[in-house]
Amino acid sequence: GAVVSQHPSRVICKSGTSVKIECRSLDFQATTMFWYRQFPKQSLMLMATSNEGSKATYEQGVEKDKFLINHASLTLSTLTVTSAHPEDSSFYICSAKYPIEQFFGPGTRLTVL
Amino acid sequence: GENVEQHPSTLSVQEGDSAVIKCTYSDSASNYFPWYKQELGKRPQLIIDIRSNVGEKKDQRIAVTLNKTAKHFSLHITETQPEDSAVYFCAASANDYKLSFGAGTTVTVRA
């Protein structure tokens, strides 16, 4: 149990375009999901906390207008990287809290050309 | 906010030997300390965790110790095997909320 999926697993886009990443809890409901970014050979950096039915809470230094988060249901949170640039290329990982443990999605590799 | 420091950044051990990774944290309110194993390009996997009401926890070849007074906790892997090679992250959180991760330790087990 407690499976989290992410889609897509890999995306390549042109600079200036927007990319949406979905995070789903498959067999449980998650009121809280988290979005992380991980650059090569670095740690997971929390970007924002996504709460179902309310606005996301962003960590210091993360632009909320660039990284749009929508947690529209108890099983789905989406992260949209708007006007992506090459420096946004990274591994984006979500996690869902159930009930107190965090379960991680498989990650999305974003490459911006 | 919480600051978690992790050492060493890389660790190479001979198969069968033990590996120890140490972490310190800054927020005295932190009460949950999980350890994750991450293989290249994969998701982090929880391998063991400990709460502040205990000082030690063991699961087969893996153990974690916690010293709340000193604000540090450690991961111990005994009888290491090649499949233990991965990046290991410690983390800390207060009241089961958001996790703050250490920088990671790349463990290489030499056959």
Side-chain angles (χ1 to χ4, degrees):
Chain A
V3 178
V4 177
S5 70
Q6 262 182 261
H7 179 80
S9 58
R10 189 179 293 268
V11 57
I12 300 172
C13 69
K14 292 182 179 179
S15 187
T17 60
S18 294
V19 175
K20 181 186 280 190
I21 302 170
E22 293 185 348
C23 177
R24 293 182 185 272
S25 55
L26 298 185
D27 50 1
F28 65 99
Q29 293 183 329
T31 55
T32 302
M33 292 185 175
F34 301 91
W35 286 97
Y36 297 86
R37 181 167 52 183
Q38 186 176 32
F39 291 109
K41 297 188 178 182
Q42 292 190 24
S43 187
L44 285 81
M45 297 302 297
L46 180 66
M47 300 175 66
T49 301
S50 171
N51 296 296
E52 187 269 336
S54 64
K55 289 184 179 180
T57 303
Y58 290 82
E59 294 300 300
Q60 192 172 9
V62 178
E63 299 175 58
K64 62 180 181 182
D65 294 330
K66 180 170 180 64
F67 299 100
L68 301 178
I69 291 172
N70 184 13
H71 195 152
S73 78
L74 287 171
T75 59
L76 173 65
S77 175
T78 60
L79 168 68
T80 301
V81 183
T82 61
S83 187
H85 291 284
E87 56 265 31
D88 297 322
S89 298
S90 189
F91 193 50
Y92 291 85
I93 308 177
C94 70
S95 72
K97 199 161 166 265
Y98 179 75
I100 56 175
E101 184 179 335
Q102 284 194 32
F103 293 89
F104 287 87
T108 297
R109 175 76 57 193
L110 170 63
T111 303
V112 185
L113 302 176
Chain B
E2 175 67 276
N3 181 42
V4 179
E5 294 193 357
Q6 183 171 346
H7 299 280
S9 57
T10 61
L11 181 60
S12 179
V13 296
Q14 189 69 37
E15 182 178 0
D17 287 350
S18 296
V20 180
I21 303 170
K22 298 183 178 182
C23 288
T24 60
Y25 62 98
S26 61
D27 188 353
S28 56
S30 290
N31 56 6
Y32 176 60
F33 308 92
W35 286 88
Y36 294 88
K37 176 182 180 182
Q38 186 180 30
E39 297 177 357
L40 191 62
K42 301 290 180 63
R43 77 185 83 196
Q45 299 273 15
L46 178 70
I47 56 171
I48 197 167
D49 56 13
I50 192 168
R51 296 194 175 274
S52 58
N53 56 344
V54 297
E56 185 173 356
K57 184 176 177 180
K58 189 173 181 181
D59 182 4
Q60 299 183 353
R61 297 186 297 109
I62 294 174
V64 57
T65 59
L66 171 65
N67 183 328
K68 281 218 74 179
T69 303
K71 295 200 190 78
H72 65 70
F73 56 114
S74 301
L75 176 72
H76 304 253
I77 306 174
T78 58
E79 300 171 28
T80 53
Q81 301 166 3
E83 51 265 37
D84 294 329
S85 295
V87 181
Y88 291 80
F89 293 99
C90 63
S93 79
N95 300 317
D96 299 316
Y97 196 50
K98 60 183 183 181
L99 291 170
S100 295
F101 283 85
T105 298
T106 301
V107 174
T108 304
V109 180
R110 306 186 306 272

